Amino acid sequence: MMSENEIKLQKAYMLTVLIEKYYETDGAGGCVHIITDDGNYGKGYAQHCLDYAIEQKDYWGEHIARLLLEFNEDEQEQIVERSWEIYEQIR
């Protein structure tokens, strides 16, 4: 059985991949750009992105924001700005 930390690491890894692929379809960062481009981390920003993505019917952005809500500000920053750390931990 996986520990909660192992599951959280898998979610962080999934997020790095989702964000990378999202940028391939929307180079401007779409509904989550205030986090992924502007570095505004935290639950409030993630919630705003989620609400906006739902309003805009941005399915990718919605799921990225939902996952980001599970992480605190420091964890969100690591996922967005230092994804290589996640890759090293997952191996």
Side-chain angles (χ1 to χ4, degrees):
M1 188 163 105
M2 284 197 182
S3 73
E4 196 170 313
N5 284 340
E6 289 172 315
I7 292 169
K8 195 163 190 178
L9 179 59
Q10 285 186 17
K11 287 180 180 181
Y13 179 72
M14 287 171 53
L15 255 172
T16 64
V17 173
L18 281 174
I19 291 168
E20 180 183 316
K21 296 299 179 187
Y22 189 51
Y23 270 85
E24 289 177 13
T25 62
D26 186 337
C31 292
V32 296
H33 80 275
I34 65 169
I35 294 174
T36 58
D37 286 340
D38 302 339
N40 296 305
Y41 304 111
K43 304 251 186 216
Y45 289 110
Q47 184 63 54
H48 171 77
C49 290
L50 175 59
D51 296 341
Y52 186 56
I54 291 169
E55 176 187 308
Q56 296 298 310
K57 298 186 181 358
D58 177 358
Y59 189 72
W60 280 79
E62 177 183 343
H63 287 278
I64 289 169
R66 283 188 196 282
L67 279 170
L68 282 167
L69 275 169
E70 297 187 34
F71 295 90
N72 67 36
E73 191 172 329
D74 292 335
E75 293 166 333
Q76 289 175 6
E77 181 182 0
Q78 180 188 34
I79 290 163
V80 172
E81 295 186 26
R82 299 185 315 279
S83 58
W84 67 88
E85 293 177 357
I86 307 290
Y87 299 143
E88 288 174 359
Q89 290 177 50
I90 203 82
R91 294 178 196 177

